[in-house]
Amino acid sequence: MTSRVDGRKIDELRKMSARIGVVKRADGSAMFQIGDTIAFAAVYGPRELHPRFLQNPEKAMLRCHYDMASFSVSERKKPGPSRRSVEISLVTEKALSSVVDLKLYPNAVIDVFIQIIQANAGTRCAGITAAAMALAHAGVPMREMVAAVSVGKVGKEIVLDLTKEEEDEETGATDIPVAMTSYNKGITLLQLDGEVNKKELIEALKLAGKGCEEIFKLQERVLKEVYSGGKNE
Amino acid sequence: MNNDYLLSLMEQNKRIDGRRLDEYRKISIETGISKNAEGSARCKLGDTEVVVGVKMDVGAPYPDSPDEGSIIVTAELSPMASPDFELGPPGPMATELARIIDRGIRESKAVDFKSLCIEEGEKVWMLFIDIYPVNDDGNLIDASMLAAMAALKQVKFVKLKEDGKADFGEHTNKKLGLGKEPVTTTIYKAGKSIFVDPNNKEEGIFDSRLSAAIAGSNIYAMQKGGTGVLSLQDIEQMLELAFKKEKDLRKVLDAVK
């Protein structure tokens, strides 16, 4: 098995850590770090949705907002939304919506704010992982958890949790962000940039599943710590 | 139209317009639809109609790729095309559509960015690919990609003036050489049914969609949409259909000279 630039095995995640309750004003919040990527997520709501014509009497709206801090990348990013962040906010909403019981809160909105304060690849996945924990922390009824990780092809190898260095590999790398649910193992986010055939894609998705299992364990552990009066919060 | 009715029809392998679940509507592509564009095309998928125009301009290269031009894809969901669209700057739907097309073209290297270099580190051609749905009767993604690729196939370089600026309206005989020609097929899932090319009513009921930009045996860009959940088996099944349908769409694109 070839080793990677940072010495990891192809199916090895970067070092992870997570904390709950990092934004006190919010109804729920979490921080998730994987390698050098750090995501904060805060949940506000369910609360009344304004303007009122946007309200849905059948269910709540889940509204996600993904943003990267200007200093999170090597060359300063212009603050504010970009086309990329608008798209990521949209796919994050889709990745989380299916597990949240939105029918319980007609006319309401659940706002999820994701801020990347340090970026080294896999930021949308780290954001989704943090947001799922923040939703659970806010006490929003969820059918199952969601975790996300990026997989991809670097050279000819299918690897788990790419770093920025691997993404920028000269011969070209394929990046595949995947989000998965904890119980049904359903895929709720799937994007791809690069070049793979069908067989490689399926192999990558299986590897993503393996990575998500490890993230689920971490999510469960830190959330349980909070509710058993542990060190978090 | 009742959504439950649409779903129950699909469970019996039927659709409201009589198509099979894996059947596209009639596809046609017309090129040269707008004189002042460097390349243009219209794609019709049943009643869905998308026009795409490509314009060029001279710009500065990105510092990290001094010998490469670039593409800029935008989509405008004008209220003309659907009662669901509103005036104003591009929202998430328009942004997503543009980025799905952008990534398909970019990642497959359909356009050789190095061929857009005029003077290394100083001047490169920027290629603006602008997507305008004229009528939205579903499946804008697949129609937009076909129209974009057909328009790109027409592009001839703009002449340069002596001062290095673009001489708009004047073209050289040099065509924009294309590498791979990606085709995007989007597979939809509603309930247990998997289908392609929804019309507007069917687009209102899907749980998930999976778009794949395909050329040869490879996938270059993918996007899952919708709030539904897909199993690995679903994805395998959808990909198989995507590769099968890509061949049909490619025939139409290949016929465009």
Side-chain angles (χ1 to χ4, degrees), chain A residues 83 87 187 191 195-196, chain B residues 73 99 103 219-220 223 230:
Chain A
R83 278 161 45 115
E87 188 197 9
I187 291 169
Q191 294 182 289
E195 179 181 42
V196 291
Chain B
V73 183
R99 282 183 57 91
R103 286 160 36 210
I219 306 161
Y220 292 91
Q223 179 95 332
L230 296 172

Side-chain angles (χ1 to χ4, degrees), chain A residues 83-84 86-87 90-91 94 97-98 186-188 190-198 201-202 205-206, chain B residues 73-74 92 95-96 99 103 107 210 217-224 226-227 229-230 232 235-236 239:
Chain A
R83 278 161 45 115
R84 174 179 174 277
V86 168
E87 188 197 9
L90 180 76
V91 295
K94 308 290 183 201
S97 289
S98 69
I187 291 169
T188 60
L190 175 56
Q191 294 182 289
L192 181 150
D193 283 303
E195 179 181 42
V196 291
N197 61 34
K198 212 176 124 192
L201 176 66
I202 299 299
L205 290 178
K206 286 182 179 155
Chain B
V73 183
T74 58
T95 308
E96 186 193 30
R99 282 183 57 91
R103 286 160 36 210
E107 298 295 332
L210 195 61
S217 58
N218 287 328
I219 306 161
Y220 292 91
M222 249 168 99
Q223 179 95 332
K224 174 193 167 280
T227 57
V229 176
L230 296 172
L232 201 53
I235 291 173
E236 286 196 81
L239 282 178

Side-chain angles (χ1 to χ4, degrees), chain B residues 160-225:
Chain B
L160 275 173
K161 286 194 283 203
E162 278 178 17
D163 63 1
K165 293 205 174 112
D167 193 2
F168 293 113
E170 297 293 322
H171 293 91
T172 67
N173 282 325
K174 191 178 154 201
K175 270 200 153 186
L176 176 75
L178 291 183
K180 296 198 179 66
E181 293 180 13
V183 163
T184 296
T185 43
T186 303
I187 312 298
Y188 290 77
K189 186 167 182 246
K192 288 190 167 58
S193 306
I194 284 177
F195 60 103
V196 298
D197 191 33
N199 60 30
N200 173 254
K201 292 190 181 69
E202 291 169 328
E203 208 160 50
I205 61 160
F206 80 89
D207 302 312
S208 304
R209 62 165 153 76
L210 195 61
S211 303
I214 296 172
S217 58
N218 287 328
I219 306 161
Y220 292 91
M222 249 168 99
Q223 179 95 332
K224 174 193 167 280

Side-chain angles (χ1 to χ4, degrees), chain A residues 158-229:
Chain A
I158 303 292
V159 300
L160 180 63
D161 188 23
L162 281 72
T163 60
K164 185 85 179 72
E165 203 177 347
E166 287 176 317
E167 268 185 7
D168 295 343
E169 226 269 331
E170 266 189 33
T171 51
T174 303
D175 181 33
I176 313 169
V178 180
M180 201 174 270
T181 62
S182 58
Y183 183 74
N184 288 311
K185 314 298 174 199
I187 291 169
T188 60
L189 167 92
L190 175 56
Q191 294 182 289
L192 181 150
D193 283 303
E195 179 181 42
V196 291
N197 61 34
K198 212 176 124 192
K199 198 170 143 266
E200 290 166 329
L201 176 66
I202 299 299
E203 191 188 331
L205 290 178
K206 286 182 179 155
L207 189 57
K210 210 181 146 204
C212 286
E213 288 305 323
E214 285 181 56
I215 304 173
F216 290 138
K217 279 188 203 143
L218 175 71
Q219 288 176 319
E220 191 181 330
R221 184 169 57 76
V222 294
L223 281 163
K224 276 186 176 162
E225 271 170 16
V226 170
Y227 291 107
S228 58

